[in-house]
């Protein structure tokens, strides 16, 4: 289970005053084989004007690890719009030589 809670710093936009937003990203991952995962993710951003009917973004994806590079692919749905995402994550080694 993955859970991300983040906030945007208060900022004034065209004199509207301070704003704060929190994004919640719970996800379920299923490991198919070493370096391969299926995922289901639900993203929801809470703002002062968030409608109670807003269900956020739902996504299904596949992650594949190639050494230190991870390929992320997702198909998502939010507010009657489908989207696709492709991303790469590079992991840097930690610590010194053993």
């Amino acid at each position: 289970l993955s859970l991300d809670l983040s906030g945007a710093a208060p900022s004034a936009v065209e004199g509207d005053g301070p704003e704060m937003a929190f994004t919640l990203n719970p996800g379920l991952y299923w490991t198919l084989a070493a370096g391969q995962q299926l995922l289901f993710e639900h993203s929801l951003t809470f703002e002062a004007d968030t409608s109670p009917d807003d269900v956020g973004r739902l996504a299904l994806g596949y992650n594949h690890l190639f050494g230190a590079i991870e390929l992320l692919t997702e198909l998502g749905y939010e507010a009657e719009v489908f989207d696709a995402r492709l991303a790469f994550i590079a992991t840097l080694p930690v610590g010194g030589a053993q």
Side-chain angles (χ1 to χ4, degrees), residues 4-8 21-25:
D4 175 33
L5 183 62
S6 57
F22 291 96
T23 302
L24 191 61
N25 293 322

Side-chain angles (χ1 to χ4, degrees), residues 29-30 32-39 60-75 84-91:
Y29 294 85
W30 178 36
L32 301 172
Q36 299 182 43
Q37 293 179 327
L38 289 179
L39 71 96
L60 292 173
Y62 172 76
N63 299 348
H64 193 96
L65 186 63
F66 299 96
I69 304 292
E70 185 174 357
L71 170 65
L72 309 164
T73 55
E74 272 185 16
L75 294 176
R85 295 182 182 179
L86 176 67
F88 292 94
I89 297 175
T91 305

Side-chain angles (χ1 to χ4, degrees), residues 47-85:
E47 298 174 308
D49 62 350
T50 300
S51 165
D53 297 332
D54 186 2
V55 296
R57 181 175 184 272
L58 301 174
L60 292 173
Y62 172 76
N63 299 348
H64 193 96
L65 186 63
F66 299 96
I69 304 292
E70 185 174 357
L71 170 65
L72 309 164
T73 55
E74 272 185 16
L75 294 176
Y77 177 80
E78 180 177 19
E80 300 181 11
V81 175
F82 286 95
D83 64 33
R85 295 182 182 179

